Amino acid sequence: MYNEGDGFIEKRQLKFGDMEKILQVLGNIMNYLYSHYGKYEQTEKEVSKMFKTLIDPEVLEKGRKKGQEEGLQKGLQRGMEEGKIAVACNLLKLGVDIGTIAEATGLSQKEVEGLNKRA
């Protein structure tokens, strides 16, 4: 049985003996769900997948990597957008017309006009 002093939450580890108990609990949950809500074919797969994420460090690492990749992509997109805005502001200061700036940066004319009002 889980004791607070075992450090399960802090260490994210399970003792081998706990695994059997957890599987029994999951089996009981499945039986309860089947008896009260009927058999739903995806339930067993979903519970297995959820349980695997608790004990499989590979799943956790894949999730971290995916999150990092998504964050990097968003950061790159944001940086590109900020770069376009900086270039547009510089071109406005040089007196380049709004249509040319929009064409050169990929910003809309309305966006460039908004920058012109800020500058």
Side-chain angles (χ1 to χ4, degrees):
M1 185 165 193
Y2 169 73
N3 293 317
E4 222 174 295
D6 290 342
F8 168 75
I9 295 172
E10 295 80 17
K11 295 179 184 177
R12 296 255 184 228
Q13 296 176 344
L14 293 173
K15 294 181 179 178
F16 185 73
D18 291 340
M19 191 68 67
E20 186 175 328
K21 292 175 186 174
I22 291 171
L23 290 173
Q24 289 173 347
V25 169
L26 288 174
N28 290 339
I29 291 170
M30 294 297 297
N31 289 334
Y32 174 84
L33 292 172
Y34 290 151
S35 66
H36 285 83
Y37 301 104
K39 186 166 182 167
Y40 175 61
E41 293 177 12
Q42 285 296 108
T43 304
E44 189 170 339
K45 290 178 187 177
E46 290 173 12
V47 170
S48 295
K49 186 176 179 181
M50 286 187 295
F51 182 66
K52 186 174 182 178
T53 62
L54 289 174
I55 61 170
D56 191 347
E58 287 181 31
V59 172
L60 182 61
E61 188 59 30
K62 285 179 185 177
R64 279 190 189 130
K65 285 182 181 179
K66 183 178 180 183
Q68 287 173 340
E69 289 170 9
E70 289 175 3
L72 180 60
Q73 287 299 318
K74 287 181 182 180
L76 288 172
Q77 289 173 352
R78 184 175 177 185
M80 296 271 293
E81 193 64 28
E82 289 175 1
K84 290 178 182 182
I85 291 169
V87 168
C89 287
N90 288 336
L91 292 173
L92 283 168
K93 288 177 186 174
L94 294 173
V96 177
D97 70 277
I98 291 174
T100 303
I101 295 172
E103 187 176 334
T105 61
L107 297 172
S108 71
Q109 286 192 4
K110 194 170 193 171
E111 289 172 310
V112 177
E113 288 170 1
L115 295 173
N116 196 22
K117 291 176 185 174
R118 283 192 334 196

